[in-house]
Amino acid sequence: MPVATIIGASRGIGLGLAESYAADGWTVHATTREPKHPGDLGAVAGDLTIHGLDVRDPNGIAALAEAIGDGAIDHLVHSAGVLRGVDREEMMAVNADAPFNVVGALFDAVARSAAKKIAILTSQMGARRGGGTPSDLYGESKCILNDRFREIEPKWRAAGVTSVVFHPGWVATDMGGRGAPVSVRESVSGIRRIIAEMTSEESGKFLTWKGTEHPW
Ligand SMILES: NC(=O)c1ccc[n+]([C@@H]2O[C@H](COP(=O)([O-])OP(=O)(O)OC[C@H]3O[C@@H](n4cnc5c(N)ncnc54)[C@H](OP(=O)(O)O)[C@@H]3O)[C@@H](O)[C@H]2O)c1
């Protein structure tokens, strides 16, 4: 079976992705900061391995890469992110730096897979409406993520890997709030469908969970 690796799967969209891939029989590697108390992630049925990872920790990232070893990752999804309650350093480390540290460590595993696909969850809040960098910390961090993605993606594509960044919708999670209009199930289903269908033609795009292109 194909292999999915979901970074930040303790809650929210990452948990929904892990559940969805596992339910379809995929082999799933899912990360959480609390592997000894995995909560809902621990209850996911299927071929799922839980790894402990704080995405700010280079040793943890290296340990995850080592655990995967010479295995392959067909779909790698980086969902971990923070919106509030952290200082600037943590916001930038989690939202803008970690996706590239994680992908860097796992890239060879993706490149040796059959599907070779990477998706990083960004946000519409990171878009430069009218030219300027978003003035709020979260928007700025996602804007930096988007800029870095556009810079590095051609290198990933040259290695045969298809990658995109996603706005997952305004989703009913702890981050999005329970009143948000899009359910985790809807967002996950859209994201999964698009990853499955995307070809190298789509690589480098900023997509929404509905498959439309989002302006940078
Ligand atoms: N929900 C929305 O409406 C929305 C909209 C636009 C973009 N997004 C983006 O979509 C992604 C998922 O959002 P969500 O709504 O699912 O958020 P969420 O429910 O708040 O979940 C955030 C996830 O990120 C993990 N995380 C945070 N800091 C981490 C760290 N240092 N190391 C490892 N994991 C860490 C959390 O783990 P812990 O449980 O350990 O904290 C949790 O699993 C994020 O990148 C977010 O910016 C969401």
Side-chain angles (χ1 to χ4, degrees):
M1 288 307 288
V3 179
T5 295
I6 313 298
I7 307 299
S10 60
R11 302 182 275 131
I13 299 165
L15 173 63
L17 284 162
E19 285 171 341
S20 172
Y21 278 107
D24 284 351
W26 286 51
T27 296
V28 180
H29 296 280
T31 77
T32 169
R33 286 193 277 189
E34 296 285 350
K36 290 189 178 140
H37 306 284
D40 291 341
L41 184 60
V44 175
D47 181 7
L48 182 136
T49 305
I50 294 174
H51 302 266
L53 178 65
D54 184 316
V55 295
R56 293 168 295 169
D57 173 20
N59 294 328
I61 294 173
L64 174 63
E66 202 176 313
I68 289 182
D70 60 5
I73 299 172
D74 291 279
H75 292 185
L76 170 59
V77 186
H78 192 288
S79 184
V82 277
L83 167 65
R84 56 176 86 84
V86 299
D87 63 14
R88 180 183 181 85
E89 190 184 353
E90 183 167 351
M91 182 82 76
M92 293 299 163
V94 175
N95 290 352
D97 299 338
F100 302 98
N101 296 335
V102 168
V103 171
L106 300 181
F107 189 83
D108 289 350
V110 176
R112 72 171 78 96
S113 74
K116 305 180 182 17
K117 293 180 178 176
I118 295 172
I120 300 172
L121 297 200
T122 182
S123 170
Q124 62 182 6
M125 303 291 287
R128 286 195 167 82
R129 294 149 218 276
T133 304
S135 55
D136 67 294
L137 200 51
Y138 176 74
E140 185 188 345
S141 70
K142 294 292 192 179
C143 187
I144 293 170
L145 158 62
N146 290 353
D147 285 350
R148 289 182 176 163
F149 172 72
R150 293 168 85 184
E151 197 181 325
I152 200 166
E153 184 277 334
K155 200 173 134 200
W156 293 350
R157 196 187 324 173
V161 170
T162 298
S163 57
V164 295
V165 289
F166 268 111
H167 170 61
W170 178 16
V171 187
T173 62
D174 292 341
M175 185 183 289
R178 294 299 145 187
V182 181
S183 69
V184 169
R185 186 184 289 261
E186 288 171 306
S187 178
V188 162
S189 145
I191 288 170
R192 276 203 58 194
R193 181 183 59 75
I194 294 157
I195 297 175
E197 291 175 0
M198 70 187 187
T199 66
S200 56
E201 296 288 303
E202 279 78 47
S203 197
K205 290 185 175 174
F206 180 1
L207 299 176
T208 73
W209 64 287
K210 290 181 170 172
T212 52
E213 248 186 277
H214 198 288
W216 295 100

